[in-house]
Every structure is written in structure tokens, then in C-alpha cells.
Amino acid sequence: MNITQIMTPSNRLLTTTADASLASLREIFAKANFQHVPVIDGTNRLVGIVSVKDYFRELSPIMDSATDPAIGLFMRSRKVHHVMVSPVITITPQHSIKQAAVLLLEHNISCLPVSTDEKHLLGIISWKDIMRAALTKTAATS
């Protein structure tokens, strides 16, 4: 089993751009069943990643004290590049699932975008994908 067999391919991912607003990011998180959104440029090149944790960390200081209109203005004016992580730790399809697991543990992260050497997004692999694969493999050998 290799990474491409267990990753979520890019055609099933929702992505955003660095100049998109936090309001648009809220819509993506609401629509998607993902905890991470890759940030790409116009050529499908990965430039960052933003997690639901990053999103809420940005909003948390104003949530208790701001009015709804002020929060709305903040979310429309604040951009994804303010909250995204860049550069991104990535993996290529040639790496093993074990190497992906090691990177997740070493860097204390929960997903890895799968990309070409030129950083073109191919998909994303999470610790849940790895656990699911491990459980499937274990069940098949039991």
C-alpha cells in the first residue's frame, strides 16, 4: 500500500488562496468534512495550509468582546495569508506511509499535503488515513 492509495486526491479537496477572506474560509470549513485546507496559487502550487485550529485561534481574541457587525468586518477584511502556515511540510507520492507517519510525529502535525517536487498539490494524507489503512491491513490479516 502506498500514499496515493490512502490520500484524499486533490480533485476531492477544497482549496483556497492566500488572498481569500476568513469569511470565505468559514464557508469552506462549514461545507467540507476536512480539518485542513490547502492554500494554492493560480498554478495549483501549494503555498500554505490552514487548519480549523488556525482559523479559530485568529478569531478567539475578538469573539467575546466584538459585536456581530465588527466580527463580520474582521472576517471579510482579514485574509488567509494572515493565518496560514507557510512553508508547508509536504510529502511526495514516492514516500512510504511509514515515512509519512514519522513526519507527522516528528513535526507534531496532523496532515501532510502530497505534492510533486515542484509543490503542485496532488492530495492530502492525515493521521486518520494512516490509522484507517493500518486497521484495514490488520483486519485483512486477522
Side-chain angles (χ1 to χ4, degrees):
M1 192 175 295
N2 64 38
I3 287 178
T4 57
Q5 292 174 297
I6 68 170
M7 73 179 189
T8 301
S10 61
N11 65 352
R12 290 191 30 226
L13 291 175
L14 295 177
T15 60
T16 191
T17 62
D19 290 329
S21 70
L22 290 187
S24 69
L25 190 59
R26 176 183 61 197
E27 292 173 21
I28 292 171
F29 282 127
K31 249 194 281 190
N33 193 20
F34 300 114
Q35 299 293 310
H36 301 85
V37 176
V39 182
I40 58 172
D41 66 11
T43 63
N44 197 40
R45 199 175 133 265
L46 188 69
V47 295
I49 193 159
V50 61
S51 72
V52 73
K53 284 182 184 179
D54 300 326
Y55 169 78
F56 282 118
R57 187 178 309 116
E58 184 71 8
L59 291 179
S60 64
I62 67 162
M63 292 305 287
D64 289 337
S65 58
T67 64
D68 286 344
I71 293 170
L73 178 62
F74 177 83
M75 291 186 64
R76 287 187 303 279
S77 63
R78 198 81 169 144
K79 304 297 181 191
V80 169
H81 67 85
H82 293 120
V83 299
M84 72 182 192
V85 173
S86 181
V88 185
I89 299 166
T90 63
I91 197 160
T92 65
Q94 294 77 26
H95 287 93
S96 70
I97 294 172
K98 182 177 180 179
Q99 288 170 310
V102 167
L103 279 173
L104 292 173
L105 290 170
E106 280 180 355
H107 296 281
N108 194 28
I109 54 178
S110 54
C111 77
L112 288 165
V114 181
S115 68
T116 65
D117 290 333
E118 296 81 28
K119 299 295 183 199
H120 289 276
L121 183 64
L122 301 173
I124 198 166
I125 186 169
S126 71
W127 66 269
K128 287 182 183 180
D129 298 322
I130 294 171
M131 291 298 293
R132 193 176 300 112
L135 289 172
T136 303
K137 187 175 181 178
T138 301
T141 59
S142 300

